[in-house]
Amino acid sequence: MLNLQKCAIIGCGNVGATCAYTLMHSGILSEIVLIDANTKKAEGEAMDLNHALPFLAPMKIYAGRYEDLYDCGIIIIAAGAGQAPGETRLDLLKKNKVILSSIVNGIRPVNTDAILLLVSNPVDILTYITLDLSGFDPRRVIGSGTVLDTARLKFLVGERLGVDSRNVHTFIIGEHGDSELPVWSSANISGIDLHSFCRINEVPDYQKELDKMFEEVRTSAYKIIESKGATYYAIAETVLRIVDSIVRDQNSILSVSTLVEGHYGLSDICLGVPSVIGACGVKSVLDIPLSSDEYAALHASAKALKQALEGLREKAVLSV
């Protein structure tokens, strides 16, 4: 029987290790298994985390092997190669597909019922590849999607308008990347239409301000990476938010990357869309209202992802 309070993290780099630290502090798990191609790295992270447990709720944290995942309810995949100088996106995708294939081949013999949560980038394409390689129920293969992008946008809107960012309600959807889009048409501040809120508070040229905020969201990861080499704190909180909704069966609405079949007129692609998340993974995908421009932008985002997947398939054929 699966244990939803037992979580594995595969890949103990900056993101995986920070996810482990954040989940350890949350108190929602009873067990965390760390797996990395570098066994010593996983062992060192487990040892360091265990030394913090006297200050926290009791739990079990250890470096393990794939055999330890037999009853694991949630498996977070944070492993993947970084993009080297001069390397194309397709080259990176090809390398990460090989890594994912190895990981899935390790998981599948011991556990075919867990929820797989993809964090590695490009997350939408890797979520689709993992779904294809694993043969898992699509509801149980989830990418972090645009949950983090949405949080970044809420922070910026809240800061600019002088309100608690938790009272800002909007989504960024589509690819977690350059083709993503904000859903301004239904955005609101605690039920007050965002555009009306801006007018009431006399925000000058507010649409231009909103567009600037979105552009800052879209480029923020690049700026953080340029400044300190990697992003990991906010994505770790993103992972915690998704895991919390699964473990507690919260039915939270989060813009995770999931297989879309028929929603928004799209099919056979994984991308970030508002979805109800609970103990079984994705319970349902929500077709939220979109303006005609937003609908077109979402289709353009899906097209960009499909082109990348097609390029990967062509590269695979050529290399045979």
Side-chain angles (χ1 to χ4, degrees):
M1 183 175 179
L2 291 185
N3 178 6
L4 275 182
Q5 289 187 297
K6 179 178 178 179
C7 176
I9 299 174
I10 301 175
C12 296
N14 285 329
V15 171
T18 309
C19 285
Y21 179 80
T22 306
L23 289 166
M24 175 184 71
H25 269 268
S26 71
I28 63 173
L29 299 175
S30 60
E31 193 170 338
I32 298 176
V33 187
L34 302 179
I35 296 177
D36 195 275
N38 181 348
T39 304
K40 287 290 184 184
K41 179 75 165 69
E43 290 173 350
E45 295 292 354
M47 185 182 296
D48 199 6
L49 291 166
N50 275 310
H51 294 168
L53 285 179
F55 304 106
L56 303 168
M59 67 180 304
K60 187 176 181 181
I61 304 173
Y62 58 97
R65 299 174 297 178
Y66 285 106
E67 290 79 3
D68 297 308
L69 307 186
Y70 71 96
D71 62 342
C72 196
I74 304 169
I75 300 173
I76 298 166
I77 300 176
Q83 191 163 356
E87 186 176 48
T88 68
R89 190 183 191 208
L90 286 178
D91 289 332
L92 177 62
L93 277 172
K94 186 179 178 182
K95 286 199 301 187
N96 279 333
K97 182 177 180 180
V98 173
I99 293 169
L100 274 177
S101 180
S102 174
I103 290 170
V104 170
N105 287 339
I107 295 170
R108 201 166 41 196
V110 296
N111 189 333
T112 57
D113 296 315
I115 292 171
L116 305 182
L117 174 55
L118 272 291
V119 185
S120 307
N121 280 316
V123 70
D124 303 289
I125 295 173
L126 296 185
T127 300
Y128 185 90
I129 291 171
T130 300
L131 177 61
D132 183 52
L133 292 172
S134 68
F136 276 34
D137 184 328
R139 294 175 299 175
R140 292 187 286 106
V141 180
I142 305 171
S144 53
T146 53
V147 180
L148 173 54
D149 310 82
T150 296
R152 287 169 172 159
L153 185 63
K154 288 181 177 182
F155 167 76
L156 291 173
V157 172
E159 185 178 50
R160 175 64 181 85
L161 298 182
V163 298
D164 187 338
S165 59
R166 293 172 297 181
N167 297 133
V168 178
H169 304 291
T170 187
F171 289 106
I172 285 181
I173 61 175
E175 174 195 15
H176 172 59
D178 293 339
S179 70
E180 64 188 16
L181 62 135
V183 183
W184 294 127
S185 61
S186 60
N188 68 86
I189 309 295
S190 286
I192 303 172
D193 174 76
L194 177 60
H195 295 87
S196 298
F197 190 96
C198 289
R199 287 195 294 270
I200 292 167
N201 288 274
E202 299 180 343
V203 178
D205 203 2
Y206 63 83
Q207 188 57 58
K208 186 176 179 180
E209 285 291 306
L210 294 175
D211 292 340
K212 282 171 60 179
M213 283 184 265
F214 168 61
E215 185 58 27
E216 185 173 341
V217 169
R218 190 161 54 180
T219 59
S220 59
Y222 300 123
K223 292 177 182 177
I224 294 169
I225 291 168
E226 182 182 353
S227 299
K228 68 170 202 167
T231 67
Y232 36 88
Y233 296 128
I235 187 59
E237 286 293 340
T238 299
V239 167
L240 170 58
R241 182 69 187 89
I242 297 169
V243 171
D244 194 27
S245 187
I246 294 169
V247 173
R248 300 181 194 272
D249 197 22
Q250 290 176 337
N251 295 326
S252 302
I253 300 173
L254 302 168
S255 54
V256 297
S257 186
T258 185
L259 182 68
V260 175
E261 289 287 6
H263 297 277
Y264 305 98
L266 300 170
S267 62
D268 194 32
I269 193 67
C270 291
L271 75 171
V273 285
S275 305
V276 179
I277 307 299
C280 66
V282 176
K283 292 188 173 181
S284 62
V285 173
L286 303 180
D287 286 82
I288 63 173
L290 300 177
S291 69
S292 58
D293 287 345
E294 290 163 353
Y295 185 86
L298 180 60
H299 274 251
S301 186
K303 182 179 179 181
L305 288 169
K306 287 194 173 187
Q307 285 174 340
L309 278 166
E310 189 56 39
L312 182 61
R313 293 188 185 107
E314 290 174 358
K315 193 171 185 68
V317 170
L318 290 172
S319 64
V320 172

